[in-house]
Amino acid sequence: MGAGIDTRIFDDADALATAVADEICALAAVPSTRPFTIALAGGSTPKRLYELLAAPPRRDRVRWSDVELFFGDERAVPPEHPDSNYGMAKRALLDHVPVTAHRMAAEKDDAAGYARLLGERIPRRRNGIPIVDLVLLGMGEDGHTASLFPGTAALAERGAWVAMNDVPQLKTRRMTLTYPVLNAADRVWFLIAGAGKRTVVAECLAAAPRRDDPPPYPMLGVRPTDGELIWFLDKAAAGR
Ligand code: 6PG
C-alpha cells in the first residue's frame, strides 16, 4: 500500500487490537534469557489492546515476569491525572498483570533520568542506542507520533534518547522518546484507527520515503534502521 510500508488492514479497531494482542502474545512467548521490552503507546487507540492483554486468555499466555514495559511518551501530569498515558495503561493493563512497568515521570522534567533508565534496563545496543524489542506508536491527525509534534524541537534531536518537548499547539510540555531510540528498535508497530486519520495516512503512504530532509509528517521520521516497521490500520483509517 505504497511507500514500501508494511500495512495490515483490519475491519475495525477491535479486530486491529485483537490481531496486535495475538502478535504480542506470540512474541512474548518466545523463550529468552532477557526480558522482552515493549514501549507502550499513549492516547486512546491502544486502550483496547491493553485490555485484551489484561484479560483471559491472553493474560495467562504471557510470562509477564519476562516482559518489561516502558512508555513512548507522557504528558507532564501526575499518574492520576485523566490525561496521563501511564494512568490509562495502569487501568487497562498494569493493575491486572504482574509486570514491571517504568513510568515516564514527565511532570518531573527529568528526560535524562528516563534515558539513564533505558540504558540500565536495555543492554542491547544498535549504533550505541538501546534496542527496544517492540515500540508501539499511535499517530495523531496532524501526523505526530509519541510526542514528536510538527514544528517542535524534539524532532531535531539526534543525540538524546529522551527529550522534554514544548508543544505550543497544545500549550503543554511532554516527555518523549526521540527518533534515535524509535529507529533503533527491533520492531515498530503503528496502531492507527478511525476515519479521522484517513487523510494523513493517505498522504503519509503517498510520500516518498526520504531519509535525509525532514519528512512532511513526524510519524514518517520513524524508519527503523534495521528493525521491522508495520502499520496496523483499520479500514476507516485506510480509507477503505
Ligand atoms: C499521546 C500519544 C500520541 C497518540 C496520538 C494518537 O501521548 O497522545 O503518544 O502520539 O498516539 O495522539 O492518539 P489517539 O490514539 O487518541 O488517536
Side-chain angles (χ1 to χ4, degrees):
M1 200 179 156
I5 303 277
D6 179 352
T7 54
R8 312 231 175 130
I9 299 174
F10 300 88
D11 283 343
D12 54 36
D14 200 66
L16 185 162
T18 301
V20 175
D22 289 340
E23 296 270 0
I24 289 175
C25 286
L27 285 175
V30 176
S32 174
T33 57
R34 56 178 178 79
F36 184 77
T37 56
I38 305 174
L40 298 180
S44 57
T45 303
K47 182 168 177 283
R48 183 66 187 127
L49 164 65
Y50 302 160
E51 290 169 343
L52 289 170
L53 291 171
R58 295 178 187 84
R59 178 188 61 192
D60 309 315
R61 276 192 213 146
V62 176
R63 239 190 337 274
W64 293 103
S65 56
D66 290 348
V67 174
E68 198 155 337
L69 301 178
F70 301 82
F71 284 80
D73 75 318
E74 184 57 277
R75 293 80 181 278
V77 296
E80 58 278 357
H81 189 284
D83 288 351
S84 167
N85 287 334
Y86 176 83
M88 182 275 278
K90 185 174 186 297
R91 289 185 295 276
L93 175 61
L94 307 183
D95 283 348
H96 309 282
V97 296
V99 71
T100 300
H102 301 288
R103 182 174 85 89
M104 232 183 207
E107 75 279 12
K108 296 180 180 147
D109 239 23
D110 185 10
Y114 205 80
R116 270 195 309 279
L117 174 86
L118 287 175
E120 288 158 7
R121 304 299 307 166
I122 301 176
R124 294 169 64 227
R125 293 286 186 276
R126 182 166 277 129
N127 307 320
I129 302 165
I131 301 174
V132 180
D133 289 301
L134 171 61
V135 173
L136 298 174
L137 290 172
M139 183 198 73
E141 295 183 20
D142 59 357
H144 82 261
T145 190
S147 282
L148 299 168
F149 283 80
T152 60
L155 291 171
E157 184 56 62
R158 294 294 177 271
W161 302 339
V162 185
M164 286 307 295
N165 198 26
D166 286 316
V167 186
Q169 51 268 54
L170 298 179
K171 297 185 179 57
T172 184
R173 255 165 94 70
R174 294 203 177 176
M175 189 181 288
T176 186
L177 299 185
T178 57
Y179 283 132
V181 171
L182 300 178
N183 288 330
D186 267 350
R187 300 167 194 82
V188 179
W189 297 352
F190 278 94
L191 281 58
I192 306 174
K197 311 283 174 75
R198 173 178 307 183
T199 304
V200 185
V201 165
E203 289 177 6
C204 285
L205 290 171
R210 302 177 300 189
R211 280 196 188 279
D212 40 10
D213 50 348
Y217 292 107
M219 71 92 74
L220 283 175
V222 180
R223 305 282 299 204
T225 47
D226 296 304
E228 166 189 85
L229 173 64
I230 301 176
W231 293 11
F232 291 84
L233 306 168
D234 72 351
K235 282 181 176 172
R240 298 291 174 85

